[in-house]
Amino acid sequence: MRENQYQAQLIKKLYERFPGCVVLKNDSALRQGIPDLTVLWSFTWGMLEVKISKDAPRQPNQDYYVHEMNEMSYAAVIYPENEEAVLDELQQKFEDCWAARLPQ
């Protein structure tokens, strides 16, 4: 499977797991190293750098931007071997943000 095929499958899973979410494909030509996908859900967001495998090469600045975006909200490198764990983390982040907005 090629990375773009995996990415298309992943986008379908994101729509199923986070009903009503918006998934945007980012343009690396605009900012080299920015993660591939932005996932907007309710009032929060996450970014995912999609790789076909754990050992797939990374472009310059990808690790930097994943770290920076994770500090702001949530970001991770996702590939088939860690997909479920990353999606669980993203869901937990979304749920935590939602819970933080509820009246105490």
Side-chain angles (χ1 to χ4, degrees):
M1 179 184 319
R2 294 179 25 215
E3 187 173 295
N4 64 343
Q5 293 170 315
Y6 173 58
Q7 188 177 96
Q9 289 178 1
L10 178 61
I11 290 169
K12 288 179 186 177
K13 289 178 184 179
L14 289 165
Y15 285 131
E16 290 171 7
R17 188 157 182 165
F18 306 108
C21 76
V22 174
V23 178
L24 303 172
K25 293 176 86 169
N26 299 315
D27 184 359
S28 62
L30 181 62
R31 184 163 303 217
Q32 190 268 331
I34 202 79
D36 296 313
L37 302 175
T38 300
V39 184
L40 307 168
W41 197 55
S42 187
F43 50 83
T44 191
W45 57 274
M47 296 185 85
L48 300 172
E49 174 58 40
V50 181
K51 296 293 181 189
I52 193 59
S53 73
K54 178 181 177 182
D55 300 321
R58 304 214 183 155
Q59 299 300 315
N61 296 328
Q62 284 181 333
D63 290 332
Y64 169 80
Y65 279 115
V66 167
H67 173 77
E68 290 297 305
M69 299 299 141
N70 194 52
E71 291 290 313
M72 294 179 197
S73 180
Y74 178 83
V77 178
I78 189 169
Y79 40 86
E81 298 93 335
N82 76 346
E83 179 183 290
E84 199 59 37
V86 168
L87 293 179
D88 287 347
E89 287 177 1
L90 180 60
Q91 182 170 350
Q92 187 63 55
K93 177 64 177 179
F94 286 170
E95 289 172 358
D96 290 348
C97 287
W98 182 256
R101 293 187 54 121
L102 295 176
Q104 299 299 318

